[in-house]
Amino acid sequence: MEEQLIFNYTIPGDDFTRAGEASSSVKNKLKKMGLDSGTIRKVSIAMYEGEINMVIHADGGAITVEISPEKIRMILADTGPGIADIDKAMENGYSTAPEEVRSLGFGAGMGLPNMKKYTDYMNIDSTVGVGTTVTMDVYL
Amino acid sequence: MITTQTLIDAGIFTLKTQGDPAKSIKKVFCCDLLSIAMGKAPAESAWVTVMGNRNTLAVASLADISCIVLAEGTAFQDAEIECASQEGIAVFATELPIFDAALKIQELLS
């Protein structure tokens, strides 16, 4: 890979039947590029968790995936309610997801910790009432 | 190590879609919370769960899980079975409880 590849996705809000489509698309692209399965798995899990968060909390958003020779960068931007206490949100088991989401098997407060666990770098930039941008890198 | 074909041949569960029969199964994993499964399910595992919705398939696909075993008589809708087939994920069903189903896979693994 000599140059940077950029893929953009729009994530529809409140549609659980489509949640994961963008992550699946990225996974398939990385497979075709011949990246190792461990790296693909890390990107897939981290991006899916972020995608689900956007559907649950922010009525969707936009994801940009940048693939360079050094790393895969995922930028997840939404205009949702924002995260009031990021440290609290990063705690295992802390969740503000509604009951209907929990009944589908999500909302256990594992999303952000999983995203951190499966990436080499993660930054959350959030303003209450404005939105949240999560940037994650997986190094190649 | 076994493959999903081993599980098919064993005939211990009802086959719903065979996915990729050559996929290896290295571990068995039990969990019904998708949030936890996403973070902790080992790659190339057989996942025993009662959570049969479309997101179960997304988690299985993205976490490189080899097959899903729906326990306690739970079932996917036809659309989910079709989706699993396209994703190459084998799906089995059983009336057994989760522990008993997982134990049968573990016996094949060991």
Side-chain angles (χ1 to χ4, degrees), chain A residues 4-60:
Chain A
Q4 191 177 52
L5 294 172
I6 298 176
F7 302 104
N8 293 300
Y9 298 90
T10 300
I11 309 303
D14 206 24
D15 184 356
F16 273 96
T17 61
R18 293 186 60 191
E21 283 185 2
S23 305
S24 292
S25 168
V26 169
K27 181 181 183 182
N28 289 334
K29 284 181 167 64
L30 298 180
K31 262 187 181 174
K32 283 177 186 163
M33 287 176 197
L35 293 180
D36 72 274
S37 59
T39 300
I40 295 172
R41 189 166 184 264
K42 285 164 71 177
V43 170
S44 300
I45 291 173
M47 184 168 159
Y48 181 63
E49 292 284 13
E51 196 178 339
I52 284 288
N53 277 348
M54 289 174 129
V55 175
I56 294 174
H57 298 287
D59 197 27

Short mmCIF file of all heavy atoms in Angstrom, two decimals, chain A residues 4-60:
data_model
loop_
_atom_site.label_atom_id
_atom_site.label_comp_id
_atom_site.label_asym_id
_atom_site.label_seq_id
_atom_site.Cartn_x
_atom_site.Cartn_y
_atom_site.Cartn_z
N GLN A 4 -2.69 6.46 0.87
CA GLN A 4 -3.75 6.33 1.86
C GLN A 4 -5.10 6.08 1.18
O GLN A 4 -5.43 6.73 0.20
CB GLN A 4 -3.81 7.62 2.68
CG GLN A 4 -4.69 7.49 3.90
CD GLN A 4 -4.68 8.76 4.72
OE1 GLN A 4 -4.92 9.85 4.20
NE2 GLN A 4 -4.40 8.63 5.98
N LEU A 5 -5.83 5.12 1.72
CA LEU A 5 -7.18 4.86 1.22
C LEU A 5 -8.17 5.40 2.24
O LEU A 5 -7.97 5.25 3.45
CB LEU A 5 -7.40 3.36 1.06
CG LEU A 5 -6.59 2.65 -0.01
CD1 LEU A 5 -6.79 1.15 0.10
CD2 LEU A 5 -7.00 3.13 -1.39
N ILE A 6 -9.23 6.01 1.75
CA ILE A 6 -10.23 6.59 2.66
C ILE A 6 -11.61 6.07 2.28
O ILE A 6 -11.99 6.09 1.10
CB ILE A 6 -10.22 8.13 2.61
CG1 ILE A 6 -8.85 8.64 3.06
CG2 ILE A 6 -11.32 8.72 3.48
CD1 ILE A 6 -8.68 10.15 2.96
N PHE A 7 -12.33 5.58 3.27
CA PHE A 7 -13.71 5.12 3.05
C PHE A 7 -14.63 5.87 4.00
O PHE A 7 -14.33 6.02 5.19
CB PHE A 7 -13.81 3.61 3.31
CG PHE A 7 -12.90 2.79 2.45
CD1 PHE A 7 -11.73 2.24 2.96
CD2 PHE A 7 -13.20 2.57 1.11
CE1 PHE A 7 -10.88 1.48 2.17
CE2 PHE A 7 -12.35 1.82 0.31
CZ PHE A 7 -11.19 1.27 0.83
N ASN A 8 -15.75 6.30 3.47
CA ASN A 8 -16.72 7.04 4.29
C ASN A 8 -18.04 6.28 4.37
O ASN A 8 -18.51 5.73 3.38
CB ASN A 8 -16.98 8.43 3.68
CG ASN A 8 -15.75 9.30 3.76
OD1 ASN A 8 -15.25 9.58 4.85
ND2 ASN A 8 -15.24 9.73 2.62
N TYR A 9 -18.61 6.28 5.57
CA TYR A 9 -19.89 5.59 5.79
C TYR A 9 -20.85 6.49 6.55
O TYR A 9 -20.44 7.21 7.46
CB TYR A 9 -19.68 4.31 6.62
CG TYR A 9 -18.80 3.30 5.93
CD1 TYR A 9 -17.41 3.31 6.13
CD2 TYR A 9 -19.33 2.36 5.07
CE1 TYR A 9 -16.59 2.41 5.50
CE2 TYR A 9 -18.51 1.44 4.42
CZ TYR A 9 -17.15 1.47 4.64
OH TYR A 9 -16.34 0.57 4.01
N THR A 10 -22.11 6.43 6.16
CA THR A 10 -23.16 7.09 6.93
C THR A 10 -23.89 6.03 7.73
O THR A 10 -24.33 5.01 7.17
CB THR A 10 -24.15 7.81 5.99
OG1 THR A 10 -23.42 8.78 5.23
CG2 THR A 10 -25.24 8.52 6.78
N ILE A 11 -24.01 6.24 9.03
CA ILE A 11 -24.65 5.26 9.89
C ILE A 11 -26.07 5.72 10.21
O ILE A 11 -26.24 6.78 10.83
CB ILE A 11 -23.86 5.08 11.22
CG1 ILE A 11 -22.38 4.84 10.94
CG2 ILE A 11 -24.47 3.96 12.06
CD1 ILE A 11 -22.07 3.65 10.06
N PRO A 12 -27.07 4.95 9.78
CA PRO A 12 -28.44 5.36 10.08
C PRO A 12 -28.74 5.20 11.57
O PRO A 12 -28.24 4.28 12.21
CB PRO A 12 -29.29 4.40 9.25
CG PRO A 12 -28.41 3.25 8.93
CD PRO A 12 -26.99 3.70 9.03
N GLY A 13 -29.55 6.09 12.10
CA GLY A 13 -29.86 6.04 13.53
C GLY A 13 -31.00 5.10 13.84
O GLY A 13 -31.89 4.89 13.01
N ASP A 14 -30.94 4.50 15.02
CA ASP A 14 -32.05 3.72 15.56
C ASP A 14 -32.51 2.59 14.63
O ASP A 14 -33.69 2.29 14.54
CB ASP A 14 -33.24 4.66 15.85
CG ASP A 14 -34.13 4.09 16.94
OD1 ASP A 14 -33.62 3.27 17.74
OD2 ASP A 14 -35.31 4.44 16.99
N ASP A 15 -31.56 2.02 13.87
CA ASP A 15 -31.92 0.90 13.00
C ASP A 15 -30.99 -0.27 13.29
O ASP A 15 -29.94 -0.41 12.67
CB ASP A 15 -31.82 1.32 11.52
CG ASP A 15 -32.29 0.21 10.58
OD1 ASP A 15 -32.61 -0.89 11.07
OD2 ASP A 15 -32.32 0.45 9.36
N PHE A 16 -31.41 -1.11 14.22
CA PHE A 16 -30.53 -2.20 14.65
C PHE A 16 -30.37 -3.28 13.59
O PHE A 16 -29.43 -4.05 13.63
CB PHE A 16 -31.05 -2.81 15.95
CG PHE A 16 -30.53 -2.08 17.15
CD1 PHE A 16 -31.28 -1.09 17.75
CD2 PHE A 16 -29.27 -2.36 17.64
CE1 PHE A 16 -30.79 -0.41 18.83
CE2 PHE A 16 -28.77 -1.68 18.72
CZ PHE A 16 -29.52 -0.70 19.33
N THR A 17 -31.31 -3.34 12.66
CA THR A 17 -31.19 -4.38 11.64
C THR A 17 -30.02 -4.08 10.70
O THR A 17 -29.48 -4.97 10.07
CB THR A 17 -32.47 -4.52 10.80
OG1 THR A 17 -32.70 -3.29 10.12
CG2 THR A 17 -33.66 -4.87 11.67
N ARG A 18 -29.63 -2.82 10.62
CA ARG A 18 -28.52 -2.46 9.73
C ARG A 18 -27.21 -2.21 10.47
O ARG A 18 -26.19 -1.96 9.84
CB ARG A 18 -28.89 -1.23 8.90
CG ARG A 18 -30.01 -1.53 7.91
CD ARG A 18 -30.28 -0.35 7.00
NE ARG A 18 -29.11 0.02 6.21
CZ ARG A 18 -29.03 1.15 5.51
NH1 ARG A 18 -30.04 1.98 5.50
NH2 ARG A 18 -27.94 1.42 4.82
N ALA A 19 -27.28 -2.24 11.79
CA ALA A 19 -26.06 -1.99 12.57
C ALA A 19 -25.02 -3.06 12.25
O ALA A 19 -25.33 -4.25 12.28
CB ALA A 19 -26.38 -2.00 14.06
N GLY A 20 -23.85 -2.63 11.91
CA GLY A 20 -22.78 -3.57 11.58
C GLY A 20 -22.46 -3.61 10.10
O GLY A 20 -21.45 -4.20 9.70
N GLU A 21 -23.29 -3.00 9.28
CA GLU A 21 -23.04 -3.05 7.83
C GLU A 21 -21.73 -2.36 7.45
O GLU A 21 -20.97 -2.86 6.63
CB GLU A 21 -24.21 -2.40 7.07
CG GLU A 21 -25.42 -3.30 6.97
CD GLU A 21 -26.53 -2.70 6.11
OE1 GLU A 21 -26.32 -1.60 5.56
OE2 GLU A 21 -27.59 -3.34 6.03
N ALA A 22 -21.49 -1.21 8.06
CA ALA A 22 -20.25 -0.48 7.75
C ALA A 22 -19.04 -1.28 8.21
O ALA A 22 -18.05 -1.41 7.48
CB ALA A 22 -20.28 0.90 8.42
N SER A 23 -19.13 -1.84 9.41
CA SER A 23 -18.01 -2.63 9.94
C SER A 23 -17.76 -3.85 9.07
O SER A 23 -16.60 -4.21 8.81
CB SER A 23 -18.31 -3.08 11.38
OG SER A 23 -18.63 -1.98 12.18
N SER A 24 -18.83 -4.49 8.62
CA SER A 24 -18.68 -5.66 7.74
C SER A 24 -18.03 -5.26 6.43
O SER A 24 -17.19 -6.00 5.89
CB SER A 24 -20.04 -6.29 7.45
OG SER A 24 -20.56 -6.86 8.61
N SER A 25 -18.42 -4.10 5.91
CA SER A 25 -17.83 -3.61 4.66
C SER A 25 -16.33 -3.39 4.81
O SER A 25 -15.54 -3.79 3.95
CB SER A 25 -18.53 -2.31 4.24
OG SER A 25 -17.82 -1.69 3.20
N VAL A 26 -15.94 -2.77 5.92
CA VAL A 26 -14.51 -2.53 6.16
C VAL A 26 -13.78 -3.85 6.32
O VAL A 26 -12.68 -4.05 5.78
CB VAL A 26 -14.32 -1.64 7.42
CG1 VAL A 26 -12.86 -1.60 7.83
CG2 VAL A 26 -14.82 -0.23 7.13
N LYS A 27 -14.38 -4.77 7.06
CA LYS A 27 -13.75 -6.08 7.25
C LYS A 27 -13.48 -6.75 5.89
O LYS A 27 -12.39 -7.27 5.66
CB LYS A 27 -14.66 -6.97 8.10
CG LYS A 27 -14.05 -8.34 8.34
CD LYS A 27 -14.92 -9.25 9.17
CE LYS A 27 -14.18 -10.57 9.41
NZ LYS A 27 -14.95 -11.53 10.15
N ASN A 28 -14.46 -6.72 5.01
CA ASN A 28 -14.28 -7.35 3.69
C ASN A 28 -13.19 -6.65 2.88
O ASN A 28 -12.41 -7.31 2.18
CB ASN A 28 -15.61 -7.33 2.92
CG ASN A 28 -16.60 -8.30 3.54
OD1 ASN A 28 -16.21 -9.28 4.16
ND2 ASN A 28 -17.89 -8.03 3.38
N LYS A 29 -13.14 -5.33 2.98
CA LYS A 29 -12.09 -4.59 2.25
C LYS A 29 -10.71 -4.97 2.77
O LYS A 29 -9.77 -5.18 1.99
CB LYS A 29 -12.31 -3.08 2.40
CG LYS A 29 -13.44 -2.53 1.55
CD LYS A 29 -13.56 -1.03 1.74
CE LYS A 29 -14.46 -0.39 0.69
NZ LYS A 29 -15.85 -0.82 0.72
N LEU A 30 -10.56 -5.06 4.09
CA LEU A 30 -9.26 -5.39 4.68
C LEU A 30 -8.84 -6.81 4.31
O LEU A 30 -7.67 -7.08 4.09
CB LEU A 30 -9.31 -5.22 6.21
CG LEU A 30 -9.59 -3.80 6.72
CD1 LEU A 30 -9.61 -3.78 8.24
CD2 LEU A 30 -8.56 -2.79 6.19
N LYS A 31 -9.84 -7.70 4.25
CA LYS A 31 -9.55 -9.08 3.83
C LYS A 31 -8.99 -9.10 2.42
O LYS A 31 -8.01 -9.79 2.13
CB LYS A 31 -10.84 -9.91 3.87
CG LYS A 31 -11.03 -10.73 5.12
CD LYS A 31 -12.24 -11.64 4.95
CE LYS A 31 -12.49 -12.48 6.17
NZ LYS A 31 -13.75 -13.23 6.05
N LYS A 32 -9.64 -8.33 1.54
CA LYS A 32 -9.19 -8.30 0.15
C LYS A 32 -7.80 -7.70 0.02
O LYS A 32 -7.05 -8.02 -0.90
CB LYS A 32 -10.19 -7.50 -0.70
CG LYS A 32 -11.44 -8.30 -1.02
CD LYS A 32 -12.45 -7.49 -1.79
CE LYS A 32 -13.74 -8.28 -1.95
NZ LYS A 32 -14.87 -7.44 -2.33
N MET A 33 -7.46 -6.81 0.94
CA MET A 33 -6.12 -6.22 0.93
C MET A 33 -5.08 -7.19 1.46
O MET A 33 -3.88 -6.92 1.39
CB MET A 33 -6.10 -4.95 1.78
CG MET A 33 -6.81 -3.79 1.15
SD MET A 33 -6.82 -2.40 2.30
CE MET A 33 -8.11 -1.42 1.56
N GLY A 34 -5.53 -8.28 2.04
CA GLY A 34 -4.60 -9.30 2.50
C GLY A 34 -4.00 -9.03 3.87
O GLY A 34 -2.96 -9.59 4.23
N LEU A 35 -4.65 -8.19 4.67
CA LEU A 35 -4.14 -7.94 6.03
C LEU A 35 -4.33 -9.17 6.89
O LEU A 35 -5.21 -10.00 6.64
CB LEU A 35 -4.86 -6.74 6.65
CG LEU A 35 -4.58 -5.39 6.00
CD1 LEU A 35 -5.36 -4.29 6.71
CD2 LEU A 35 -3.10 -5.06 6.05
N ASP A 36 -3.53 -9.29 7.95
CA ASP A 36 -3.62 -10.49 8.77
C ASP A 36 -4.92 -10.50 9.57
O ASP A 36 -5.48 -9.45 9.90
CB ASP A 36 -2.40 -10.62 9.68
CG ASP A 36 -2.42 -9.61 10.81
OD1 ASP A 36 -1.96 -8.48 10.58
OD2 ASP A 36 -2.92 -9.94 11.90
N SER A 37 -5.37 -11.71 9.89
CA SER A 37 -6.70 -11.86 10.49
C SER A 37 -6.79 -11.20 11.87
O SER A 37 -7.85 -10.71 12.26
CB SER A 37 -7.08 -13.34 10.58
OG SER A 37 -6.14 -14.05 11.35
N GLY A 38 -5.68 -11.19 12.62
CA GLY A 38 -5.71 -10.56 13.93
C GLY A 38 -5.98 -9.06 13.84
O GLY A 38 -6.78 -8.51 14.61
N THR A 39 -5.34 -8.41 12.89
CA THR A 39 -5.54 -6.98 12.69
C THR A 39 -6.97 -6.70 12.24
O THR A 39 -7.63 -5.78 12.74
CB THR A 39 -4.56 -6.44 11.62
OG1 THR A 39 -3.23 -6.67 12.07
CG2 THR A 39 -4.77 -4.96 11.36
N ILE A 40 -7.45 -7.51 11.32
CA ILE A 40 -8.80 -7.33 10.81
C ILE A 40 -9.82 -7.48 11.94
O ILE A 40 -10.77 -6.72 12.06
CB ILE A 40 -9.10 -8.34 9.68
CG1 ILE A 40 -8.19 -8.06 8.48
CG2 ILE A 40 -10.57 -8.29 9.26
CD1 ILE A 40 -8.27 -9.10 7.38
N ARG A 41 -9.57 -8.45 12.80
CA ARG A 41 -10.50 -8.71 13.92
C ARG A 41 -10.53 -7.51 14.88
O ARG A 41 -11.59 -7.10 15.34
CB ARG A 41 -10.05 -9.98 14.64
CG ARG A 41 -11.03 -10.47 15.67
CD ARG A 41 -10.71 -11.90 16.10
NE ARG A 41 -11.71 -12.38 17.02
CZ ARG A 41 -11.57 -12.34 18.35
NH1 ARG A 41 -10.48 -11.86 18.88
NH2 ARG A 41 -12.55 -12.79 19.13
N LYS A 42 -9.35 -6.95 15.16
CA LYS A 42 -9.30 -5.80 16.06
C LYS A 42 -10.10 -4.62 15.49
O LYS A 42 -10.89 -3.98 16.19
CB LYS A 42 -7.84 -5.38 16.29
CG LYS A 42 -7.08 -6.32 17.21
CD LYS A 42 -5.58 -6.13 17.13
CE LYS A 42 -5.10 -4.85 17.74
NZ LYS A 42 -3.61 -4.75 17.70
N VAL A 43 -9.87 -4.34 14.22
CA VAL A 43 -10.57 -3.22 13.57
C VAL A 43 -12.08 -3.50 13.54
O VAL A 43 -12.90 -2.61 13.85
CB VAL A 43 -10.05 -3.02 12.12
CG1 VAL A 43 -10.93 -2.03 11.36
CG2 VAL A 43 -8.61 -2.54 12.14
N SER A 44 -12.45 -4.72 13.20
CA SER A 44 -13.87 -5.07 13.09
C SER A 44 -14.60 -4.90 14.41
O SER A 44 -15.68 -4.32 14.47
CB SER A 44 -14.02 -6.53 12.63
OG SER A 44 -13.42 -6.72 11.38
N ILE A 45 -13.99 -5.41 15.49
CA ILE A 45 -14.64 -5.35 16.81
C ILE A 45 -14.74 -3.90 17.28
O ILE A 45 -15.81 -3.45 17.72
CB ILE A 45 -13.88 -6.22 17.83
CG1 ILE A 45 -14.06 -7.71 17.49
CG2 ILE A 45 -14.36 -5.94 19.25
CD1 ILE A 45 -13.22 -8.66 18.34
N ALA A 46 -13.65 -3.16 17.18
CA ALA A 46 -13.65 -1.77 17.65
C ALA A 46 -14.65 -0.92 16.88
O ALA A 46 -15.42 -0.14 17.45
CB ALA A 46 -12.24 -1.19 17.54
N MET A 47 -14.67 -1.10 15.56
CA MET A 47 -15.56 -0.28 14.74
C MET A 47 -17.01 -0.66 14.97
O MET A 47 -17.89 0.21 15.03
CB MET A 47 -15.20 -0.42 13.26
CG MET A 47 -16.03 0.49 12.38
SD MET A 47 -15.39 0.57 10.71
CE MET A 47 -16.87 1.14 9.85
N TYR A 48 -17.28 -1.95 15.13
CA TYR A 48 -18.67 -2.37 15.37
C TYR A 48 -19.19 -1.81 16.69
O TYR A 48 -20.34 -1.36 16.77
CB TYR A 48 -18.74 -3.90 15.38
CG TYR A 48 -20.14 -4.44 15.59
CD1 TYR A 48 -21.15 -4.19 14.67
CD2 TYR A 48 -20.44 -5.20 16.70
CE1 TYR A 48 -22.43 -4.69 14.86
CE2 TYR A 48 -21.72 -5.71 16.90
CZ TYR A 48 -22.71 -5.46 15.98
OH TYR A 48 -23.97 -5.94 16.17
N GLU A 49 -18.36 -1.85 17.71
CA GLU A 49 -18.78 -1.29 19.00
C GLU A 49 -19.11 0.20 18.85
O GLU A 49 -20.10 0.69 19.40
CB GLU A 49 -17.68 -1.47 20.06
CG GLU A 49 -17.42 -2.90 20.48
CD GLU A 49 -18.47 -3.45 21.43
OE1 GLU A 49 -19.54 -2.82 21.58
OE2 GLU A 49 -18.23 -4.52 22.01
N GLY A 50 -18.28 0.90 18.10
CA GLY A 50 -18.53 2.32 17.88
C GLY A 50 -19.79 2.55 17.06
O GLY A 50 -20.58 3.46 17.33
N GLU A 51 -19.97 1.69 16.08
CA GLU A 51 -21.16 1.80 15.21
C GLU A 51 -22.44 1.58 16.03
O GLU A 51 -23.41 2.32 15.90
CB GLU A 51 -21.03 0.75 14.10
CG GLU A 51 -21.95 0.97 12.93
CD GLU A 51 -21.74 -0.07 11.82
OE1 GLU A 51 -20.67 -0.72 11.76
OE2 GLU A 51 -22.67 -0.26 11.02
N ILE A 52 -22.40 0.57 16.88
CA ILE A 52 -23.56 0.28 17.74
C ILE A 52 -23.83 1.46 18.68
O ILE A 52 -24.97 1.87 18.88
CB ILE A 52 -23.31 -1.02 18.56
CG1 ILE A 52 -23.47 -2.25 17.66
CG2 ILE A 52 -24.25 -1.11 19.75
CD1 ILE A 52 -24.90 -2.55 17.27
N ASN A 53 -22.78 2.02 19.24
CA ASN A 53 -22.95 3.18 20.12
C ASN A 53 -23.65 4.32 19.40
O ASN A 53 -24.50 5.01 19.96
CB ASN A 53 -21.58 3.67 20.63
CG ASN A 53 -21.12 2.87 21.83
OD1 ASN A 53 -21.88 2.10 22.42
ND2 ASN A 53 -19.86 3.03 22.19
N MET A 54 -23.25 4.55 18.14
CA MET A 54 -23.87 5.63 17.38
C MET A 54 -25.36 5.38 17.17
O MET A 54 -26.18 6.29 17.22
CB MET A 54 -23.20 5.75 16.00
CG MET A 54 -21.82 6.30 16.04
SD MET A 54 -21.10 6.22 14.39
CE MET A 54 -20.53 7.89 14.21
N VAL A 55 -25.71 4.12 16.92
CA VAL A 55 -27.12 3.77 16.70
C VAL A 55 -27.91 3.94 17.99
O VAL A 55 -29.01 4.48 18.01
CB VAL A 55 -27.25 2.33 16.16
CG1 VAL A 55 -28.71 1.92 16.04
CG2 VAL A 55 -26.56 2.21 14.80
N ILE A 56 -27.32 3.46 19.11
CA ILE A 56 -28.03 3.49 20.39
C ILE A 56 -28.20 4.93 20.90
O ILE A 56 -29.28 5.33 21.32
CB ILE A 56 -27.26 2.68 21.47
CG1 ILE A 56 -27.23 1.19 21.12
CG2 ILE A 56 -27.89 2.89 22.85
CD1 ILE A 56 -26.36 0.37 22.08
N HIS A 57 -27.11 5.68 20.87
CA HIS A 57 -27.09 6.93 21.62
C HIS A 57 -27.23 8.20 20.78
O HIS A 57 -27.60 9.24 21.29
CB HIS A 57 -25.77 7.05 22.41
CG HIS A 57 -25.59 5.97 23.43
ND1 HIS A 57 -26.31 5.92 24.60
CD2 HIS A 57 -24.78 4.88 23.45
CE1 HIS A 57 -25.94 4.86 25.31
NE2 HIS A 57 -25.01 4.21 24.63
N ALA A 58 -26.87 8.13 19.49
CA ALA A 58 -26.68 9.40 18.76
C ALA A 58 -27.50 9.52 17.48
O ALA A 58 -27.26 10.43 16.70
CB ALA A 58 -25.19 9.57 18.44
N ASP A 59 -28.44 8.61 17.28
CA ASP A 59 -29.24 8.65 16.06
C ASP A 59 -28.36 8.59 14.82
O ASP A 59 -28.60 9.26 13.83
CB ASP A 59 -30.12 9.91 16.04
CG ASP A 59 -31.26 9.78 15.03
OD1 ASP A 59 -31.67 8.65 14.75
OD2 ASP A 59 -31.70 10.82 14.50
N GLY A 60 -27.34 7.77 14.92
CA GLY A 60 -26.45 7.59 13.77
C GLY A 60 -25.32 8.60 13.73
O GLY A 60 -25.06 9.31 14.69
#
